[in-house]
Amino acid sequence: MSKLKNLLSSGNERNRQSTRGGSYSLAMTAVVLAIVVVVNIFASVLPTSLTKFDISSSKLYSITSNTKVVVNALQQDVTIYWIVQSGAEDQVIENLLGKYESLSDHIKVVKKNPDVYPTFAEQYTDDYVQNNSLVVECGDKYRYIGLEDIYIGEINMYSGTYDADSFDGEGALTSAIDYVTSEEYPRVYLLEGHGEAELPADFAEQIEKENMETQTLSLLTVDDVPEEADCIIIYAPQSDISAEEKEMLADYVSAGGKLFVSAGPVEDGILENLYSLLGDYGVTANEGIVVDSDREHYALGAPLVLIPDMASSSVTDSLIEENYYTIMPVALGLTNEGYSSKGTVTDLLTTSYMSFSKAAGYDLATYDYEEGDIEGPFSVAVSVEDNSGGKIYWFTSDQFLEAQYNSFSSGSNMDLAMNALSDLIGESEAMAIRSKSLNYNYLTITDATSSLLKVLMIGVFPLAYLGAGICVILSRKKVQNETF
């Protein structure tokens, strides 16, 4: 009888312990659930910058430090109207607008449903307005940003559809904000009178996007370079400037002026007066066209389509960090003496030690080295800082901004040029904000690897977890039986 009582007493004690354990587990579960609910409520009111993280390779959901500089400096209220039907919101654009709004109290995003406000967009544009287009407004100034300015692409000639390959929402928005909040815009003069080519369409559009005002300038009709000129662009001249024009440009730089030059070799040889601007700083322009026999330093199977080495500088570092290369086709070779009492010269792009300048120029018949050719290496892009504060960026190819070569360089040619131009006009924070690629890379695996992963994920891992659970249950029952 005493044994039976002991057993009953032991069983009751275990029941009480089980009950207490169950109550404790229930209480802990309730506490954990309450904590989870509170954490979720707290997280829901946090800005997206603290709750969402961009792990995309192109940083599609992030904004650059350049944008942060522009937005954080705002002193005026800016309204971004988001023209979109309910339920048709683009998630990438929505994320982007949220980041702008969270950066500054001066930015407000307002949705305008065209079904509710059918005539709203007519006051800003006569174009057909697609869903997810934007209008940036500050006071009486505004800029309309069409969807085609955000998702950059082209019409597919076979399907007739618009194929977007890059996202330029940040660049378009930051430029628009800078435009509507600025009172004055940089004035850029385009030199004419020497057979200069028109600026490539993409380059001209980028200049407009960066809010630079352009107008032409002939030095033959003025006594001096206009004082209001923030920069002078000399693009692809086919004939030389006069000695008088050279002196005017030299005086302009010596007084703190800025020059952007893209001038390559011409069929008649070399533009002596123009290149004498560099001669004043100890830089020699060599006759001919540069070719590079090192296979790693030319593209498209043509040794005169150069892929030069890029030196670190304020305008190249962003490209170097992302492992971009520039392409310089049909370029003139410069030799930097390394010393000048007038200023400092920095090599930006240089050819290899296997390069040489073909003295025959446009009449070259072979890419091989011949007697009379000039041995390299050469500089094909330099920056010059005059002691007065004047500055020159000089590129010795007048074709590197053409669409085909810019495309081959993945846009780095354009970025380098815009970085240089932005630096010249004193807007380093507005240096080119690259559009972000929408061409995703997919992981490709073999059938054998795919079958192995299926077996592991569907068979082995689930069975392993099931086996581990059975072992735990059996071991617990064994302990209970031994205790009982």
Side-chain angles (χ1 to χ4, degrees), residues 4-81:
L4 180 60
K5 289 182 178 180
N6 289 335
L7 288 173
L8 291 174
S9 175
S10 177
N12 291 335
E13 181 62 26
R14 283 199 297 272
N15 289 336
R16 284 193 293 272
Q17 290 177 354
S18 298
T19 301
R20 286 196 297 270
S23 300
Y24 177 76
S25 298
L26 183 62
M28 287 302 298
T29 301
V31 170
V32 170
L33 287 174
I35 292 174
V36 169
V37 170
V38 171
V39 169
N40 274 278
I41 293 174
F42 177 72
S44 66
V45 300
L46 291 175
T48 57
S49 59
L50 298 178
T51 59
K52 294 183 179 180
F53 302 94
D54 187 1
I55 60 173
S56 61
S57 60
S58 62
K59 296 299 179 183
L60 184 62
Y61 304 97
S62 302
I63 57 177
T64 64
S65 58
N66 295 358
T67 288
K68 293 176 183 178
V69 169
V70 173
V71 173
N72 290 334
L74 286 177
Q75 299 294 325
Q76 302 162 273
D77 291 335
V78 175
T79 302
I80 303 175
Y81 292 107

Side-chain angles (χ1 to χ4, degrees), residues 275-309:
Y275 271 91
S276 66
L277 283 167
L278 288 178
D280 294 343
Y281 297 93
V283 177
T284 301
N286 298 284
E287 291 277 358
I289 295 175
V290 177
V291 300
D292 202 319
S293 57
D294 182 357
R295 186 61 187 87
E296 295 185 357
H297 285 82
Y298 68 85
L300 308 178
L304 52 70
V305 181
L306 308 173
I307 302 179
D309 294 322

